[in-house]
Structure formats: structure tokens, C-alpha cells
Amino acid sequence: MARHLITSAIPYINGIKHLGNLVGSQLPADLFARYQRGRGCEVMFLCATDEHGTPAELAAAKAGKPIEVFCAEMHQVQADIARRFGLSFDHFGRSSSPQNHRLTQHFAGKLDQNGLIAEVSERQVYSNADGRFLPDRYIEGTCPNCGYDKARGDQCENCTKQLDPTDLIEPRSAISGSTDLEIRETKHLYLRQSALRQELSDWIDSKTDWPILTTSIARKWLNDGDGLQDRGITRDLDWGIPVRKGDQPWPGMEGKVFYVWFDAPIEYIAATAEWADAHGKPAGEWRRWWRLDEGAEDVRYTQFMGKDNVPFHTLSFPATIIGSGEPWKLVDYIKSFNYLTYDGGQFSTSQGRGVFQDQALSILPADYWRWWLLSHAPEGSDAEFTWENFQVSVNKDLADILGNFVSRITKFCRSKFGETIPEGGAHGPEEQALIKALTSRIRAYEGFMEAMEVRKAANELRAIWGLGNEYLQSAAPWSSFKTDPERAAMQVRLGINLIRLYAVLSAPFIPFAADSMLAAMRTQDRSWPDNVTAALDTLTAGHAFEVPEVLFAKITDEQRDEWQERFQGVRD
């Protein structure tokens, strides 16, 4: 079995994230991590809060708190929400950690040694009202491409076009709103990505199994216009990782910090170091995941992210790794996602638009959301969240198919045989046909999970649940009981074992319900059904169980209408 290193794009610290953020990186990454653990693989699943840059500074200023305090508090908030959603991170780190400071400065020093850092004089926006240079995200204005009036100086959130502050129409300070801006000269460090263009292009071309969404975005940045551009890696900010060459000062860069896009991906490595330190492990324990000369040769590294993060992970972060000249692990597979839309527009943290993770958990348990989001993951194209679709999916898939099966078989067994599994009877042609169908579906499910085809995996899982209901309808143990109690006992025994099987298969999607199903069956046997016949004999005659509470309550029309009304505006 491979060792799986799994990272999801690290969310900004500037507030509670919406459902689009969840399905675009963290949730499918958790699905994959849980699946690989279920198959017996060694997994290191990492995420963190992205705490530097202007979003953090602006959010802290809005909250009226020192930025260090704001980031510490919001890290705890995001970590708690992640736990409540069942995100099974091995470590949830912080990009402001001492480990990330050291590693970021280390990489910058190595890149400079290798001639890949240029010192560039550039003209930058200075706000007289604020008495400071304004980094890209501190400048707002109208996008020249689509006319959106809240575009930032680095990117338009509406059309995703990359921008420079000077591109904006009617620019203003995002701090004070002042339009009293002027252009002044300042010096910054640039990563000479263009010098690595051919090496990066060859590397991208070698990834023939990557999603088209991922490679097409990478090639666009590599080849459009003048091709891959050098990119600034420093900013005039107070909060961030101070610019140093490893552990040495960087003359002329005093008072500057590294740009957030440079240090944020390095946090994937730093988070592993944080994990080792938090558990009292030696440095070799984290380096074996990342250093090819220290044991990472057998690691398969998979990244999950929304499409807006693809350029940084296919080009800029690999340029940092390759340019260091050191044997660090490069990503093996990037699973990228399109956008989840809401009510005809985009979810937006900065605009407070859509359903946010804390709000979602306040109205329904995590598994309802996990199932809908994953079974509608925006893989091939953008996907739209509607309350009607959410209601239909939850009621049909979770309540009518899975929940109904669990309820029917356990209640019937209790009424006829008590709360222990009955003995007697042997599998007949009907059971053999079920086992054959289950085996075929489970192998297909495994294939889709390995390939990270999330929607297709959900469809297979739904079909696997459906086979249980079809069998119950056909076998009709309530009829068998009248004429052949032993056959009914066998049918019930198989049905109870199906619940355990369903819990094991469903755990990556709906872990809380899976735990409830296993607890009701009074077992913690989570062995994967490599052999379906054997799996359906795991719980033997005489084994006690409980009839569980309703696994999934249906969403009523009244609830749906109330939530649709409540979330039609924007969050403050």
C-alpha cells in the first residue's frame, strides 16, 4: 500500500468559510483520506489557516483586534468547524507558525543562491491618507474586463481575471476608501519563474492523468501572451514572515515580508513539522513525507483545491520546490474543482453571500451537507446549490434509500427474533445474485474513489444502498417468516450484515452516520469488504444489536421554505 500525503488548499483566516470553500478542497480531500485509511494505507492529511496578507489585516481591523489575536481566535473557530464537519486532518496548522517562518526563509535563501531571485524596483500605489504603500488587495476599484465594481488590485473575484492595481478603474484604498493615491517607487524580490518555464512545462506534460481543468489552467499561464511571468514574493506589510536569506538578514529588504502566495504553500510542509513537534516526534518523522532522500520515495502526494488556486500549485509552488535544488517531494496529482454557485451567483466570503459553514451546521448535522456537497461536487463544470435540490437529494438518498433500509431490517428482526441475530438457513440463488451485484458495484466504487471521481463514487454508493432495498423487496422476509422461518432468519442475518457493510463503505462520505450504524450493530469491525461473501458473514448468529434512532430525518417543505427565505440575503 502506498503512503498517501494529502493536502487541501489552506483557507484564509479572514472569516468563516462558505460551502463552496468546503466542497472545493477540504471535503473531497477528507473523503479521499478517509477512504485510503479504510483501505489500510498510511495517510498524512494536512491543512492550515492562511494567516498572512491583506485579507487577514483587513479582517482584523474590521474586528477591532490586534492581528495576532484575531488570527489565533479565527484559527480556533475554523478548527472547531472543521472538527464538527468531520474533517479528519492529522494536523490543522497555521501559516504564521515558527516552522513556516523557518522553512519560507530557507527556501528563499536557496532560491537566491541558485540565481532565481531578482531584486526589482517597481512603482507601487501609495495612499497619502493611510501613510503607506498599498498591496494589491488593499486596492479596490472597477474591473476593466467585466465592470465589477469591487474588484481587487490582484484579481477580479467576479470574472477571475488577474489584475494589477493600475488596471483598476477609479481605484480606492480598501482601508480608508480614499482615492488620494499616487505611484511611488519601492524595491521588491521576484521569483524568476520564467527561468524555470521549460522545466515546469515538461513536468506538466508528464502528468497525463491529471484532470483537464488542472492542466489547461497551468498551460494557459505557461503559454498565453508572453508566457510564464516572474512574480513578486515580497510586500510592504507589517504582518507576515520577515524577509531573510535563511537565517541571515537580506540587505535592502528590511521591514518587508514575504508575499502570502509564496509562504502559504510552504505551510503544507511546515504543517507536517508542526504535527511532529506537537506529538513529540523527531524531525525525521515529518521529513520522511517530504524529502526524497529521507524516505519520501514511496509517498503519493495529492492536492485538492478550487480552480482559482491551480496556478499557484501547478507553477509557483513547484517553481519554489524545483528552484531550491533540494530533493523535496513534488505533487503527484492535483484534483481541482470548479465553483459551487448559489442562487444564480457565486458564493463569496468577502461579500458574505451564500450559506456559511457555521450556519449550515446550525440547521442540520454535518452528514446531510457532506452527502449533498460530495454527490454534487463541481468536477466537470460549476454546480449550483438550490434548496429544492438539497431537499430532494437528502430525502431520497439518505432517508428513503439508506435510512429506510436500516430501519426496516432492524425493526423486523426485533419484532420476530429479538435484538440478536438469528441462526439458521443458507444463502440461495437470490443471495448469490445480490453478492455478485454488490461485488461488481463495490469494485467500481473503489475504482472511482482511487481516481478521485467524486460524483461517480457517490452514484455507486447510492446504487449499493439501493441493492439492499431491492433485495428486501424481493426476498420479503416478512413473508418467508410465515412459511420458512429459517430462510427468514438467513435473510435477516444478511440484512444486518449489510448495515455493517454499508457503514464501512459509507464512512468516507457520511462518517457520523457510519459511526451510528456500527454502534447500533455493536461492532467496531471496519474491515474493508475485499471478499463480499465473507463480509456478509462478519456478524454471526447470537450477536446482539440495537434498533438505531432515525438515521436521517426528512426535510419538510416548511423547513426548506424557511431556510430559503433566511439565506436569500447576504451575511453581515
Side-chain angles (χ1 to χ4, degrees), residues 96-114:
S96 62
S97 69
Q99 293 87 342
N100 199 35
H101 277 235
R102 287 193 295 270
L103 274 165
T104 298
Q105 291 163 344
H106 168 83
F107 275 107
K110 288 295 178 184
L111 289 163
D112 184 59
Q113 281 179 26
N114 295 333

Side-chain angles (χ1 to χ4, degrees), residues 18 342 346-348 352-356 359 567 569-571:
H18 53 67
Y342 180 78
Q346 282 190 21
F347 280 84
S348 170
R353 193 170 190 284
V355 183
F356 288 75
Q359 297 170 328
F567 296 106
V570 296
R571 182 177 187 142

Side-chain angles (χ1 to χ4, degrees), residues 448-525:
F448 291 134
M449 290 290 269
E450 290 290 349
M452 287 160 275
E453 295 192 57
V454 178
R455 278 196 182 205
K456 289 179 180 177
N459 288 339
E460 282 298 331
L461 184 58
R462 185 191 296 110
I464 290 166
W465 297 340
L467 289 173
N469 281 302
E470 291 166 19
Y471 172 75
L472 275 192
Q473 283 299 106
S474 171
W478 40 88
S479 299
S480 303
F481 184 77
K482 298 172 186 173
T483 57
D484 190 348
E486 286 220 341
R487 176 161 174 72
M490 176 275 294
Q491 292 166 335
V492 165
R493 194 165 60 250
L494 184 147
I496 297 292
N497 272 283
L498 265 178
I499 295 175
R500 188 204 72 87
L501 175 72
Y502 286 172
V504 171
L505 294 173
S506 305
F509 280 89
I510 46 173
F512 299 102
D515 287 348
S516 296
M517 291 159 71
L518 288 171
M521 297 306 101
R522 294 190 181 177
T523 181
Q524 282 305 308
D525 187 335

Side-chain angles (χ1 to χ4, degrees), residues 272 366 389 441 546 549:
T272 329
N389 186 296
R441 290 283 189 186
E546 299 168 12
E549 296 292 317

Side-chain angles (χ1 to χ4, degrees), residues 551-562:
L551 271 184
F552 294 99
K554 287 194 172 186
I555 296 171
T556 66
D557 290 349
E558 290 75 23
Q559 286 175 310
R560 180 202 66 203
D561 293 344
E562 177 201 333

Side-chain angles (χ1 to χ4, degrees), residues 9-83:
I10 65 177
Y12 274 133
I13 198 74
N14 63 331
I16 293 168
K17 304 296 109 175
H18 53 67
L19 296 182
N21 291 127
L22 188 63
V23 75
S25 60
Q26 293 179 327
L27 192 53
D30 179 70
L31 178 80
F32 190 59
R34 286 179 176 275
Y35 171 75
Q36 293 298 348
R37 291 193 197 104
R39 300 305 307 274
C41 294
E42 186 182 2
V43 170
M44 178 62 69
F45 176 29
L46 302 160
C47 192
T49 39
D50 186 355
E51 301 187 9
H52 297 138
T54 51
E57 289 199 2
L58 291 173
K62 184 177 179 182
K65 295 179 178 180
I67 190 159
E68 297 89 342
V69 173
F70 174 80
C71 287
E73 291 178 355
M74 283 307 304
H75 175 80
Q76 288 302 317
V77 168
Q78 290 199 18
D80 177 63
I81 290 173
R83 178 189 57 77

